[in-house]
Amino acid sequence: MKRFFLVCSLIAIAACAQQSPPPPVTTNPPPPPPPPPPMTYTVYFDYNSSQLGPAGKEVVRFAADDYKARPPGSVRVTGYTDPSGSAGYNQRLSLRRANAVAAELESRGVPQSALLVSGRGESTNEPTPGQDRRVDVSVGWTPPPAL
């Protein structure tokens, strides 16, 4: 009987004694995926014009949709001209073109604070006539760090 009592006591003690749960396993979540690389869209203009045509508006729509599908970032809008005209005139025309594209981007939901707009004037590296009358829109562009 003592043996039975001893066995029952040990079973009761074992049943009452709770083991502490194992410590939680800490795992670091995987790092977020890198942002998609910048994408450049090109809007072409007629000779001596800063008016966006239907094809140009469609390109701007693609760029705005791409911006909205990405994490917040910057959009670089850079205007160019062909070599005809004076340097000063071409600089002003390239900026008017860039501003026209920037205004269309804003109307499609891209905040003005995300836009970096500039005019470069004459483009000298485009061998095909008309390809230098353009605005390049780089979506997801990251400005270089300030020194």
Side-chain angles (χ1 to χ4, degrees), residues 7-102:
V7 171
C8 287
S9 296
L10 289 175
I11 291 173
I13 291 172
C16 291
Q18 295 182 1
Q19 293 181 341
S20 61
V25 178
T26 58
T27 58
N28 292 331
M39 180 73 175
T40 299
Y41 299 86
T42 302
V43 179
Y44 293 101
F45 288 84
D46 289 335
Y47 176 77
N48 199 30
S49 174
S50 60
Q51 296 295 313
L52 274 172
K57 288 183 180 187
E58 186 70 6
V59 172
V60 172
R61 183 180 67 79
F62 286 130
D65 289 347
D66 186 11
Y67 172 82
K68 291 184 269 186
R70 293 171 178 259
S74 297
V75 179
R76 184 174 60 186
V77 182
T78 309
Y80 298 92
T81 64
D82 61 24
S84 61
S86 70
Y89 179 80
N90 285 340
Q91 175 61 37
R92 291 186 301 276
L93 178 58
S94 68
L95 188 56
R96 281 197 311 271
R97 288 175 173 166
N99 283 328
V101 170

